[in-house]
Amino acid sequence: MGNIIISVKDLHKKYGSFHAVKGISFDVNEGEIFGLLGPNGAGKSTTLEIIETLREKTSGFVTVGGVDLDTDPNEIKKMIGVQLQTSGYYPNLNLTELISMFAGLYNQPTDPIALLKTVNLEDKSKAKFKELSGGQKQRFSIATTLINHPKIIFLDEPTTGLDPQARRNLWDLIKDIRAKGTTVIITTHYMDEAEVLCDRVAIIDSGKVIALDSPDKLIDELVASGFERPKQVKNANLEDVFIHLTGHELRADN
Ligand code: ADP
Ligand code: MG
């Protein structure tokens, strides 16, 4: 088990009288891909945004890289990569110019083409953000999180709305980023994605963690409890057919 890089203890968030996060606790190990899973409204984004210093918590304790959120949020900001709202992308700038602009904001010398290459978008260096496909937009947005060489990146539903190939391409990209030593926290609704990607997951429901372990252990526990899935009639599903027919190499167009 690695070093703990994020520690969340008894986190609460109230929006007025509505209690959205009700005492969430979890630790994230350095170098892992940690998933927050749960239905819409479970409190995933709220939890992430509090850790990212973008939202005030009501109570609880958060440390990132050993730094206390209450005492030194600016130090935390320097360590993390956050996906910006797409509205933050100036419409008249192309991808190279956008990266140069963010690099300037972060005061980080950056080679835009090299960075676009890591997300397989070098062919789109002169394109505007709005001209990209859904998968390309997500890859660009992930590239922007890497500009300040963060220890941790936060991805909030990066694959929602993408087609199966674009999702797989993004999984490969996220694994590459982790292989280079970056810790990844991701939220998703897709359980197949969490199973492939995440070392450990916290399942959140109505503002509480209801399970926390590796996907493998959670599945084993369910099976040990006597659960049996209705018999599989076929050895493949329609998604397998689609991927088999169309391939899933990192295409520039998805
Ligand atoms: P998730 O990301 O898991 O879908 P959120 O953290 O976005 O969940 O939201 C958790 C709950 O808090 C939801 O019921 C949502 O409607 C509510 N909520 C989120 N943001 C606000 C806000 N700014 N004001 C009031 N309620 C909010
Ligand atoms: Mg959300």
Side-chain angles (χ1 to χ4, degrees):
M1 198 105 312
N3 297 323
I4 291 170
I5 194 159
I6 294 177
S7 176
V8 175
K9 286 202 172 66
D10 200 22
L11 185 67
H12 288 260
K13 175 67 181 181
K14 285 184 181 165
Y15 293 109
S17 61
F18 178 68
H19 208 159
V21 173
K22 302 172 187 156
I24 282 182
S25 301
F26 61 86
D27 292 332
V28 177
N29 297 317
E30 194 166 9
E32 76 178 340
I33 302 179
F34 187 87
L36 291 181
L37 315 183
N40 281 327
K44 303 181 296 295
S45 297
T46 300
T47 301
L48 279 197
E49 286 168 14
I50 290 169
I51 303 169
E52 290 166 349
T53 77
L54 300 177
R55 215 177 262 274
E56 293 278 327
K57 61 184 162 60
T58 302
S59 65
F61 305 91
V62 176
T63 62
V64 178
V67 175
D68 189 331
L69 175 68
D70 291 328
T71 52
D72 217 346
N74 286 327
E75 206 48 45
I76 292 180
K77 279 187 188 132
K78 288 184 205 157
M79 274 185 258
I80 65 173
V82 173
Q83 280 185 296
L84 296 164
Q85 303 292 321
T86 53
S87 56
Y89 298 138
Y90 291 89
N92 295 326
L93 301 183
N94 66 37
L95 300 191
T96 306
E97 291 163 341
L98 282 170
I99 288 178
S100 299
M101 188 195 74
F102 290 128
L105 290 177
Y106 288 124
N107 200 16
Q108 290 281 340
T110 302
D111 175 353
I113 300 295
L115 184 59
L116 288 172
K117 221 172 190 156
T118 65
V119 297
N120 205 37
L121 281 177
E122 65 271 30
D123 296 345
K124 295 285 170 184
S125 61
K126 295 282 178 281
K128 309 269 166 63
F129 182 76
K130 62 168 186 263
E131 296 161 358
L132 303 178
S133 71
Q136 289 168 341
K137 282 181 176 154
Q138 279 300 336
R139 296 213 301 278
F140 179 72
S141 152
I142 289 176
T144 65
T145 71
L146 300 173
I147 290 173
N148 61 335
H149 306 287
K151 282 189 180 164
I152 310 159
I153 60 168
F154 293 80
L155 305 175
D156 197 351
E157 292 188 30
T159 65
T160 295
L162 299 185
D163 70 41
Q165 280 166 339
R167 287 177 63 216
R168 279 164 180 73
N169 291 343
L170 224 58
W171 299 350
D172 291 342
L173 173 60
I174 292 166
K175 285 183 190 165
D176 285 349
I177 290 169
R178 190 269 297 274
K180 288 176 191 148
T182 308
T183 305
V184 179
I185 301 197
I186 182 173
T187 71
T188 181
H189 298 298
Y190 299 110
M191 296 307 126
D192 59 334
E193 173 165 301
E195 204 176 328
V196 171
L197 215 49
C198 297
D199 298 296
R200 293 188 308 137
V201 298
I203 300 179
I204 299 181
D205 194 20
S206 305
K208 291 185 176 158
V209 174
I210 55 171
L212 197 168
D213 215 324
S214 67
D216 214 38
K217 288 244 180 66
L218 291 172
I219 294 165
D220 287 350
E221 269 171 29
L222 180 65
V223 172
S225 76
F227 177 88
E228 245 181 274
R229 184 190 271 183
K231 276 271 175 289
Q232 290 270 340
V233 280
K234 295 179 181 177
N235 286 327
N237 62 24
L238 190 58
E239 181 151 321
D240 296 325
V241 173
F242 179 84
I243 294 295
H244 182 75
L245 290 173
T246 58
H248 97 273
E249 69 277 13
L250 197 59
R251 292 184 181 182
D253 60 350
N254 64 32

